[in-house]
Amino acid sequence: MKAKDRRRMVLLPIICFFIICLCIISSVSNLAKIREKKLEKAELTKKLEELKEEEITLTDDVEKLKNPEYAARYAREKYLYSKYGEKILKID
């Protein structure tokens, strides 16, 4: 065998080994990113559900506040507004 052939026989497996290692490292890194994104998606899905529930609650509150009697009662209870001649007692 010639020196050139020997060098090729030694370098080719080494280069292949490094290429395979780079592919494995890249795959593991991508799998970690995929897992992280799945966890983030689950968290965001949960938050979306919570926000949808909050939206339904707020929409209901808006509909209730369109009723003047309810709005007046709500203002008296929440912000301590009173009718003429009415006294407010705050109990904690």
Side-chain angles (χ1 to χ4, degrees):
M1 291 177 97
K2 296 182 182 177
K4 189 176 183 181
D5 289 338
R6 279 191 216 142
R7 199 174 334 140
R8 191 176 300 159
M9 295 281 285
V10 171
L11 287 178
L12 186 62
I14 292 173
I15 291 172
C16 288
F17 175 77
F18 282 118
I19 290 174
I20 290 171
C21 286
L22 287 175
C23 290
I24 291 172
I25 290 170
S26 176
S27 296
V28 169
S29 173
N30 287 336
L31 287 173
K33 287 178 185 177
I34 289 171
R35 183 172 184 262
E36 180 181 320
K37 294 296 180 184
K38 283 183 179 180
L39 292 173
E40 184 179 348
K41 180 184 175 186
E43 182 180 312
L44 290 174
T45 303
K46 182 179 177 184
K47 186 173 182 178
L48 176 65
E49 291 299 320
E50 291 172 0
L51 289 174
K52 283 182 179 181
E53 290 175 11
E54 184 179 348
E55 179 186 22
I56 291 169
T57 303
L58 291 174
T59 304
D60 290 342
D61 287 346
V62 167
E63 289 299 318
K64 289 178 185 176
L65 287 171
K66 287 181 181 178
N67 180 349
E69 292 173 12
Y70 179 82
R73 191 181 89 222
Y74 182 81
R76 283 195 308 274
E77 290 175 2
K78 181 89 172 175
Y79 300 107
L80 302 177
Y81 286 117
S82 64
K83 292 182 182 178
Y84 181 74
E86 201 176 47
K87 293 184 180 180
I88 299 174
L89 300 175
K90 185 175 180 182
I91 300 173
D92 291 327

